[in-house]
Amino acid sequence: MDYQLIGAIAGIVTILGGIFAAFKWGRGLLVKAWHFVTRSKPKVPRETIRILPQMRGCWWGNGSVAGKPAMQVVGRWHVTNITGDNVRLLGARLLKPKTEGHVLTRHPQENIYGSYPILPGETTEVDSDFWVIPPMRKEGEDFKTSVVLIDQYGNEHKIKNVIFAGPKPKEPKKEETPSEPIHSIADPIEKEVASVLKAEANRYKECGRRVGGLGSIQTTIQGKNYKGVGTEWREADSPKNQTITEDESTIQI
């Protein structure tokens, strides 16, 4: 047997085996790469909503969290779904200072708020709420920052440079002019008059103008008792002089 011929054939077989193996391995890589490029990817919308602040809907107020001073920052928005699918808002954040908050969406048909969807093409009301610790502003000062609302796709929708109106500073209480003590009045007649007037003033506070009350005055009209002099009733569009009752003989004060 020609050993040289056998060796040549074995070499050819080895080379062919290596080429076949290499081709098979390379083919596998090409198939995987092709599948990676052409695989089915879900389409995620990047723009889903438009946001506008409600009139006088952005404000802040003083509060506390776990006994620490804090400022509550509230934003109320008109949000429009510009897609063909339902959109849900699941998160909210202030950019400065970085603060996580809550977001609530109005129900499509009812006046209740929660994690409700915004229907395609519809505009609804959305509330965001944050607690900033410690407070960043004082009473009488506005608070300016940017707000981010996050939808179910993870898209962040930024509302830049929102101005949150601050609470008005409390006006100092006006000091009441102290009244003269009745016991210090020397004249007995003046003292008696002041005593009656003071009693009437105190009773007027309890039975005041809102119910037609005048101190201790009691009026009986047609057998019915009233505090004060009763309430005047007027006939609309009439030049006639108006009275409480037509029959004056039934009145007793």
Side-chain angles (χ1 to χ4, degrees):
M1 179 175 253
D2 190 343
Y3 289 102
Q4 290 182 348
L5 179 60
I6 295 174
I9 293 172
I12 292 172
V13 171
T14 302
I15 293 172
L16 290 175
I19 293 173
F20 179 76
F23 176 75
K24 191 174 182 180
W25 176 76
R27 181 182 176 186
L29 287 180
L30 289 173
V31 171
K32 289 181 179 179
W34 178 255
H35 287 170
F36 178 79
V37 172
T38 61
R39 66 180 179 176
S40 177
K41 295 182 179 180
K43 294 182 180 180
V44 178
R46 297 302 179 191
E47 289 188 274
T48 58
I49 58 175
R50 293 289 186 268
I51 307 170
L52 289 174
Q54 297 182 27
M55 184 177 293
R56 293 185 292 275
C58 298
W59 52 270
W60 72 267
N62 290 315
S64 64
V65 175
K68 296 181 180 180
M71 59 187 291
Q72 183 183 18
V73 181
V74 176
R76 292 175 177 165
W77 321 95
H78 294 296
V79 180
T80 302
N81 179 355
I82 61 173
T83 74
D85 300 312
N86 289 345
V87 173
R88 291 179 183 270
L89 296 176
L90 304 179
R93 182 169 65 248
L94 293 181
L95 291 187
K96 188 177 181 181
K98 291 184 179 180
T99 307
E100 298 295 327
H102 301 280
V103 61
L104 297 173
T105 304
R106 183 174 178 172
H107 189 280
Q109 283 84 37
E110 301 178 22
N111 189 23
I112 55 176
Y113 287 75
S115 297
Y116 298 111
I118 306 174
L119 304 182
E122 294 294 322
T123 300
T124 190
E125 298 171 0
V126 172
D127 288 359
S128 60
D129 185 76
F130 310 89
W131 287 92
V132 178
I133 307 172
M136 304 292 293
R137 295 291 184 270
K138 297 178 181 179
E139 288 186 348
E141 298 179 347
D142 293 338
F143 177 50
K144 184 178 180 180
T145 187
S146 295
V147 179
V148 173
L149 301 183
I150 306 168
D151 64 23
Q152 77 266 37
Y153 303 108
N155 297 320
E156 297 188 352
H157 306 274
K158 185 186 296 184
I159 314 114
K160 297 181 179 179
N161 301 322
V162 182
I163 296 177
F164 295 90
K168 294 182 179 180
K170 296 178 181 179
E171 296 182 0
K173 292 183 179 181
K174 295 181 180 180
E175 295 184 1
E176 296 183 358
T177 303
S179 59
E180 182 182 8
I182 294 177
H183 63 80
S184 64
I185 301 175
D187 187 286
I189 298 178
E190 183 180 345
K191 187 173 184 178
E192 187 67 22
V193 171
S195 179
V196 171
L197 291 177
K198 188 170 183 178
E200 291 299 303
N202 289 334
R203 291 183 182 183
Y204 183 75
K205 288 181 181 179
E206 298 177 0
C207 180
R209 184 172 298 175
R210 66 184 180 85
V211 294
L214 293 175
S216 61
I217 295 177
Q218 301 289 322
T219 307
T220 302
I221 303 176
Q222 296 177 348
K224 188 174 182 179
N225 294 326
Y226 296 89
K227 293 182 177 179
V229 294
T231 303
E232 183 178 16
W233 176 83
R234 288 187 174 274
E235 183 180 346
D237 303 321
S238 173
K240 179 182 175 182
N241 186 31
Q242 307 293 306
T243 59
I244 298 173
T245 179
E246 297 291 343
D247 188 0
E248 296 180 2
S249 64
T250 63
I251 300 176
Q252 180 180 359
I253 298 178

